[in-house]
Amino acid sequence: MEKFAKVRKDIANILKNESYDDGSLGPLFVRLAWHASGTYDVHTQTGGSNGATMRFAPESTDNANAGLEKARAFLEPIKKENNWISYGDLWTLAGVVSIEEMGGPVVIWNSGRIDKSSFWVSKKDIPPNGRLPDASQGAQHVRDIFYRMGFNDREIVALSGAHSLGRCHTDRSGYDGPWTNTPTRFSNQYFILLTSVKWKKKEWSGPLQYVDENDELMMLPSDMALLWDPEFVKYVK
């Protein structure tokens, strides 16, 4: 539809931002779309991007969502100019547009998410903390989180490839650094580097993470779990 085409263009026009990270808001918007969606529970049909409940505590204050208030703020002018679009649609569309603009595939996206109002949202409408992946955990945790959303091992590995984008920040997740040398380009570099680099534990006072020999790139424990798990690694390679 023409009105969504305009919003797509508005999003694409703000992606380049030299003052933010590696010069693009794209990875940030992908993370926003994913975290807004990643609370979904296929068994209870709760959570997910419908409702845009990240605007409310405790989802808004979940440590896993640290820094995403910046993403929502960057999109707020677009929301005000196109007030008809729901936050749920805007956030997920921003992720889709970002992937496409960074060289990724065209992603099938459907509108229709309806925001929960602050006047009638209830505690049961907001997913509890703990539904998003914990980067410090291993394969079983990864499976528990993604199986709850209805994904299988192959799909889990494919989705993990989004770590080809962006970087970690010590003031958000506690981790530090990018996964690849091209954090604003959608590519297969995450898997290439995961399987080809000799990763070692980072020597620092922060949480356990792994780095290359020059301490320029990093992997999280949950990334290494894909390499060490006999089923996950089949799809990684």
Side-chain angles (χ1 to χ4, degrees):
M1 295 174 63
E2 185 176 340
K3 61 181 182 179
F4 283 109
K6 177 186 180 301
V7 175
R8 280 178 170 269
K9 185 176 181 180
D10 290 344
I11 294 168
N13 285 342
I14 68 169
L15 290 182
K16 186 176 181 181
N17 188 322
E18 296 299 337
S19 65
Y20 190 84
D21 272 1
D22 300 288
S24 173
L25 298 178
L28 180 66
F29 290 159
V30 171
R31 180 171 173 247
L32 173 64
W34 158 234
H35 280 226
S37 305
T39 57
Y40 180 66
D41 187 321
V42 69
H43 305 293
T44 63
Q45 298 289 297
T46 59
S49 58
N50 191 37
T53 51
M54 196 190 293
R55 293 170 295 144
F56 312 115
E59 189 176 356
S60 61
T61 55
D62 188 342
N63 288 336
N65 289 328
L68 288 179
E69 70 279 358
K70 300 177 186 292
R72 300 195 299 271
F74 279 123
L75 290 170
E76 192 59 30
I78 295 177
K79 169 63 173 171
K80 288 182 177 178
E81 185 176 339
N82 304 275
N83 197 44
W84 52 267
I85 192 171
S86 68
Y87 280 108
D89 278 353
L90 178 60
W91 297 348
T92 53
L93 184 58
V96 165
V97 172
S98 295
I99 288 174
E100 295 175 6
E101 291 291 321
M102 289 187 288
V106 174
V107 179
I108 297 174
W109 177 87
N110 293 307
S111 62
R113 295 161 189 80
I114 301 173
D115 294 339
K116 293 291 184 181
S117 167
S118 58
F119 296 107
W120 47 270
V121 67
S122 65
K123 185 175 294 186
K124 66 179 178 60
D125 293 323
I126 305 171
N129 292 356
R131 287 195 180 186
L132 293 169
D134 179 347
S136 69
Q137 300 296 312
Q140 187 56 57
H141 169 79
V142 173
R143 285 194 171 93
D144 289 344
I145 293 294
F146 282 85
Y147 283 5
R148 190 206 68 232
M149 289 182 269
F151 294 113
N152 59 35
D153 284 1
R154 181 173 182 269
E155 292 164 333
I156 291 171
V157 172
L159 287 168
S160 298
H163 282 176
S164 63
L165 303 171
R167 62 173 60 237
C168 288
H169 305 77
T170 55
D171 62 342
R172 300 176 197 177
S173 64
Y175 300 100
D176 183 55
W179 289 268
T180 74
N181 292 304
T182 54
T184 62
R185 180 169 64 84
F186 193 93
S187 71
N188 209 34
Q189 282 299 302
Y190 169 76
F191 296 112
I192 293 172
L193 293 167
L194 180 60
T195 55
S196 64
V197 170
K198 185 175 181 180
W199 299 100
K200 62 179 183 179
K201 293 180 180 179
K202 182 178 178 68
E203 296 180 5
W204 70 326
S205 60
L208 173 64
Q209 67 178 73
Y210 298 82
V211 293
D212 66 332
E213 62 178 9
N214 297 318
D215 198 3
E216 294 177 348
L217 303 175
M218 68 93 206
M219 290 286 167
L220 303 168
S222 57
D223 296 312
M224 300 304 293
L226 302 182
L227 189 62
W228 296 334
D229 183 88
E231 295 303 316
F232 280 148
V233 75
K234 295 176 184 178
Y235 302 110
V236 170
K237 293 181 175 181

